[in-house]
Structures are given as structure tokens and as C-alpha cells.
Amino acid sequence: MTHVITQNCCGDATCVAVCPVNCIHPTPQERDFGSTEMLYVDPGACIDCGACADACPVDAILPKDRLTGAQREYAAVNAAYFEDRADAASRAAGGSGSEPADHGPNFHAWGRPVFERTLPSDFAPLRIAVVGTGPAGMYAAEDLLLHTGAEVTLVDRMPVAGGLVRYGVAPDHPGTKGVGDTFARLYAHPRVRMYLGLEVGGDVTAEELAAHHDAVVYAVGARADRRLGIPGEDLPGSISATTLVAWYNAHPETAPDAVDPSAERVVVVGNGNVALDVARILTADPEELAGTDIAAHALGALRASKVREVVLLGRRGPADAAYTRPELLALKHLPGVELVVDDHDPRIAEGIDAAGAGDKAAVLRGVSRRAVDWSLPPAPGRRIVLCFHSAPAEVLGDGRVRAVRATAAEGELEIPAGLVVRAVGYRGAPVPGLPFDEATGTVPHEGGRVTGRPGTYVVGWIKRGPSGGIGANRACAAETVGTLLADALDGALPAPEHGARAFRRLVRGRNRRLVDARGQAAIDRAEVARGLRAGRPREKLATVSELVAAARGRRRLLG
Ligand code: SF4
Ligand code: SF4
């Protein structure tokens, strides 16, 4: 028997450190790390101790005999990774690539412990501000708290913590949201101060923040969305996936009526994981979604929704689609939703049929293939249609979206649709007071240190661009914190001009609606209580006023 890593894996490698036989790969020390869609357990070496399952923050690891439904496919997915590695190693050694793999427990050789990110015990505690409470910021804060005696000031422009875990992860992925519980443990840490609802570049300047801290780490993500650059993309009825995701996650800056699901067919431009999230939520049974923390306004709209068909338009073929295999596997097993491949181009079937067992396109074997007649309304039932080798050319409509014109191998397609969702990626936005590279949408840096700004650092998507999932931020944060601590040891951090009390006075004078850690806890309790009353696990507060009032209800609002 073996344990198996499944869909929720965010690749943070927490499990690697606890496995006594080193059978979870790729490890952060291996070249593949960060380039695979998830981590994998070697079934031939696993001794089934369960330590990894206890450590995983998103409950992604299960004993093989407890896999159900779509999870069952992951036993083969895990095993295939090691077969491919064995074949590649064999070929590199001059073999045929088909010799049996050399499985077996690989017990760690315990050497002297190495502490890569630490400061001498007599080093004066640093005071570090971390701007952004999403995964990148929280991994950086965790690293600082675990490895140093630093005091951490957590700042977020929203009056509630969580960043993309709260406002980016789809509500039907509660396991992935579980990583937020790991981060939430840090909110009440005695060396953490929280200032939620504080905008850097609004309430305080970057210079003021720096003047009150030894260093500032920006983890502000990539808030903007990339544009299609085609006519009609700004027509009413054409929205960004950023808007739709914020809508179903109750983001206070997105109106409850920002999405109108009254059309029978929706076209999503793009086929990355966010596009798949959008397709799943729009076709899901609303009563299933009622068991999640989806925004109450979105749940109400989806209960009245007329959407029956979501078409995912992708420029490339099935072998090169942007989604990851785990998310596509999940799409195949959606209850009551048919998955269809539009067979309008011979390259599509060829690509699927010729795919190797471990290839992304192979997941589509057995999925219904047919040439969709777009002149007809969607057939009864709910379905997701994958339309490969189709590039959007124009959003058509007179005052409102009517259809999407796309180029295809043989001529053009015109797909009637009442809603178009642009899901072609995120893009970083300039951070006031910091340099910005318009071409990449990132802040220029060396190992996380912002170019030309001693004491200022970046982590996450604003550092490396919008790629990689939640877990990728752990290694990214380790690099940035490593650079910061090296700078501290080198005496390269500018001395702060003011202390923690002065900072508190400054921000309280600028913004009377700040929320601290107790206010955050009060918001959490209020949302769970609302959920209980509605028979749901949680009902999120969807406006700044409601969030601040919930925090103030416990009389823990700063100011
Ligand atoms: S989420 Fe992290 S701990 Fe869980 S399986 Fe993936 S890499 Fe391991
Ligand atoms: S069950 Fe134990 S041996 Fe198997 S992968 Fe997990 S930690 Fe390693």
C-alpha cells in the first residue's frame, strides 16, 4: 500500500521534510521542483507511515485505498512520474529506458543540521513590514518568525486578511483554502502586528513605511488582468475572469451584480486553471455550491442562472493547453456536467490519440468528441466545451455581447454567447514608490531585493510574474528572506528613523477604520455565525463597511 498525492496539492513541499524515506519528489533541491504540476509519492518506496498526510496543509495526501471518484486516477498519476524519471535516468546512463525501476525505501542519511536562514542570537531583533497577507506574504512572514526573532508588521489594503486564498481560490476547492488556516495561526503570534485596511500609497507612503521598519517586503500580487487586444472586448457582457472570480468570492470591490448569468451560453477566452474554475462554477449545481463559502449574491444569481454551456476557447492544441492535468481530471468527473471536445480541426483528435500516457492531452481520451454546430442553441443539460486551435478575433455585438468570432484552421467560427469572460492571465500593477518593469509587470529585483532600494524586497507574483500556484511562493519567500537576512548581516539595511509606537500613531491618525488581529478573528466568527444561520459553512461579508463593523463589533477596531 502507498499514500497518494491528489488534486489539491499546491506544491509547497511541506510533506517532503517529514517523509522518513525520501519518497516524495521532486524535492526543492531537485531540478524539476517548481516545474511539475504537483508533487508525487513513489509507490514503490512509500512505507505508508502517514506522516505526510498529517503535515499537508491542504489535505491532498490520502492512503491509496481511501481514494474515491476522480481521486482514484491519482494513484497512476503518482506512479507515472517515477516511471518517467526511471526511464529518463536509464536513457541518460545509456540504457534502453525500459529497465525495471529501482524502488525501495531510501532512508535519509541524517547529517549535521543546516540552518540556512537565521541570524546570530545576539543580533538585535529586526522590525519587518510585510505588505500583503496572501500566500507569498504569509510564507515570508512565517519564514521570518520561524527563523529569526523579527517583529513582523502585517499590512493589507483590505480590512480582512487572506489575499488570494480568500479572494482567488474557487469556493468549490475548500481543501486548497485550508492553507489559509495554516497562515491564520500566525495572526495571533506575539511578534506580529496587523494593520488591515491600510493602503500603502494611500494612507501611508512607501517612504513612511520604510522609515518605521528595518525592511519592507512587498507581496502585493498581480492585481490587473491581461487584455485580449481585439475589437469589442469592452462591450457590456464582456468581463475579465478577475471580476468573475472576485464576484463569486465576495470581494468588496466587485459589485454583487457585476456578473449576469442570464445567457444560455458563455464563452471563456483562455483555458488555464482560472478558466476552468470559471467554467466549473458557472455550470455547477447551485445546491452543491451552497455547501461552500461562495458569496451569497453569487449563489443567488447562480440559482436563477440560465447558463447551460460554457465554451473554453484556446489558441493552442490539447497537448499545450494552459490548464494543469489535475484540474482537467477534476473537470471530467463533475456531477451532471458533460465534458465535450469540439472536433472542428483534425489536429485535435490526432493530438489526443497520439498523446503518451503521462501527457496532458491523454486525459481527454474517452471524452466525448463532436463537431459542435454553433448555429444551434445549447442542447438541454449542462456542459463544458473545450474548443482548441481557436483564436478569438472579435467580440461581436451592438451595445452588448452577442457572439465571439474566432479564427480556426478552416475559416472562422462564430459562437453566439451572452457573456464573454477574458481569462488570459494576470498582470502586476505598479507599486507606488517602487520601480516597475512595464514589459514584465514586475518590480525589478536581485534575489528579492528591489533594485536601487536598500531595505525593500518583493516576493510572489510582483517579483516573478503571475505564474506558479500557492506552494511556489514558499520557495520564492525563502529566497527573498535569505537575501534580506544576508543584507542584515552585511549591515546593508537602512536604520529605521522611528519605532513601532510611532508607526501605530501615524497610521491611526491617517485611517480610523483599521482592523487588527482581534478584529480579524471577530470577522471570522461573524462569517461563520452567518453561515450557520444560513445552513452554510461560512457566509462571507462582502463590503468594507460590513467587514469593519464586524471587527468593531468586538471593539477591536484600531482608533
Ligand atoms: S500541498 Fe504541500 S504538503 Fe500537500 S502534498 Fe502538495 S507539496 Fe505535499
Ligand atoms: S506515507 Fe510516509 S513514507 Fe509514504 S510518502 Fe508519506 S511520509 Fe513518505
Side-chain angles (χ1 to χ4, degrees):
M1 245 266 288
T2 176
H3 274 55
V4 175
I5 300 182
T6 62
Q7 182 194 351
N8 285 349
C9 176
C10 68
D12 73 346
T14 300
C15 51
V16 170
V18 302
C19 178
V21 293
N22 194 24
C23 70
I24 303 175
H25 296 273
T27 71
Q29 288 74 37
E30 292 171 345
R31 205 174 32 209
D32 274 4
F33 186 75
S35 65
T36 59
E37 294 173 332
M38 51 185 277
L39 267 58
Y40 310 89
V41 171
D42 182 348
C46 173
I47 59 170
D48 225 19
C49 69
C52 54
D54 291 342
C56 178
V58 296
D59 294 334
I61 312 179
L62 294 164
K64 185 177 172 187
D65 63 356
R66 284 189 34 212
L67 300 176
T68 56
Q71 290 172 337
R72 290 204 184 93
E73 304 214 26
Y74 286 90
V77 168
N78 279 241
Y81 175 75
F82 294 94
E83 284 154 17
D84 292 347
R85 268 167 56 117
D87 289 351
S90 157
R91 279 191 291 273
S96 67
S98 57
E99 297 88 344
D102 177 20
H103 286 306
N106 170 20
F107 288 95
H108 285 295
W110 298 106
R112 287 170 66 84
V114 177
F115 301 101
E116 288 168 350
R117 293 184 302 284
T118 189
L119 291 172
S121 56
D122 58 350
F123 205 90
L126 299 171
R127 204 167 56 256
I128 315 284
V130 176
V131 182
T133 58
M138 293 311 298
Y139 278 126
E142 181 183 56
D143 206 332
L144 287 162
L145 292 166
L146 286 180
H147 296 104
T148 75
E151 295 169 12
V152 175
T153 305
L154 285 177
V155 174
D156 202 299
R157 69 188 189 88
M158 301 308 297
V160 63
L164 264 191
V165 175
R166 179 179 171 96
Y167 291 124
V169 176
D172 61 346
H173 280 4
T176 307
K177 284 177 182 275
V179 74
D181 297 338
T182 310
F183 298 142
R185 286 184 294 117
L186 302 177
Y187 300 160
H189 192 288
R191 285 187 277 122
V192 169
R193 294 287 173 275
M194 294 185 94
Y195 295 93
L196 305 175
L198 181 72
E199 178 137 29
V200 179
D203 299 314
V204 289
T205 65
E207 291 74 20
E208 287 171 328
L209 189 61
H212 289 79
H213 294 86
D214 293 283
V216 181
V217 180
Y218 285 88
V220 295
R223 280 161 48 189
D225 50 90
R226 290 164 58 122
R227 294 182 57 79
L228 297 174
I230 60 173
E233 72 173 305
D234 292 320
L235 275 172
S238 167
I239 61 173
S240 70
T242 317
T243 298
L244 202 142
V245 169
W247 173 74
Y248 63 54
N249 275 322
H251 195 292
E253 291 170 349
T254 302
D257 62 354
V259 177
D260 174 10
S262 61
E264 292 183 340
R265 181 181 287 129
V266 176
V267 170
V268 179
V269 180
N271 57 16
N273 284 351
V274 173
L276 265 52
D277 285 349
V278 167
R280 266 196 341 271
I281 297 297
L282 288 176
T283 54
D285 177 351
E287 298 323 309
E288 292 289 326
L289 293 175
T292 74
D293 70 352
I294 190 170
H297 56 243
L299 182 60
L302 291 170
R303 279 182 165 138
S305 166
K306 294 202 170 62
V307 176
R308 289 210 304 272
E309 185 172 285
V310 177
V311 182
L312 297 176
L313 215 55
R315 289 172 191 271
R316 295 177 286 182
D320 304 308
Y323 49 65
T324 58
R325 207 161 38 145
E327 293 299 324
L328 181 62
L329 270 171
L331 217 59
K332 280 175 69 176
H333 294 270
L334 290 182
V337 180
E338 185 191 20
L339 184 63
V340 174
V341 174
D342 178 27
D343 200 14
H344 66 93
D345 183 321
R347 290 175 293 172
I348 296 169
E350 285 165 19
I352 295 171
D353 294 341
D359 296 344
K360 203 180 276 184
V363 177
L364 292 171
R365 282 201 200 112
V367 170
S368 172
R369 273 182 232 162
R370 56 179 180 266
V372 180
D373 182 349
W374 299 114
S375 67
L376 300 174
R382 288 173 285 143
R383 110 187 23 78
I384 295 171
V385 182
L386 299 171
C387 194
F388 297 105
H389 291 302
S390 306
E394 185 175 4
V395 180
L396 303 169
D398 186 11
R400 185 166 179 88
V401 166
R402 174 180 58 77
V404 173
R405 182 169 63 80
T407 57
E410 294 178 12
E412 292 190 337
L413 309 171
E414 187 173 312
I415 306 175
L419 179 65
V420 173
V421 183
R422 309 181 303 268
V424 289
Y426 295 104
R427 187 183 152 74
V431 183
L434 266 57
F436 188 70
D437 181 344
E438 283 290 346
T440 59
T442 59
V443 170
H445 69 95
E446 298 95 29
R449 182 194 312 105
V450 176
T451 306
R453 296 285 198 285
T456 304
Y457 301 83
V458 280
V459 67
W461 282 0
I462 196 63
K463 170 187 172 187
R464 63 180 199 274
S467 67
I470 290 173
N473 292 299
R474 196 165 184 230
C476 183
E479 182 193 51
T480 294
V481 170
T483 303
L484 189 160
L485 298 185
D487 288 350
L489 285 170
D490 287 348
L493 299 183
E497 296 165 25
H498 311 285
R501 284 191 183 172
F503 183 69
R504 186 176 168 84
R505 269 197 307 277
L506 173 78
V507 298
R508 287 174 67 180
R510 300 271 175 86
N511 184 337
R512 308 290 292 177
R513 286 156 52 104
L514 298 179
V515 174
D516 66 2
R518 294 197 184 188
Q520 163 74 30
I523 289 170
D524 186 53
R525 286 193 295 273
E527 291 187 337
V528 171
R530 274 169 56 122
L532 272 176
R533 287 195 292 277
R536 302 182 54 205
R538 170 186 297 271
E539 198 166 283
K540 282 180 176 169
L541 299 165
T543 66
V544 168
S545 310
E546 285 177 316
L547 288 162
V548 171
R552 187 173 277 175
R554 307 299 293 181
R555 300 194 179 283
R556 298 310 309 176
L557 187 74
L558 295 175

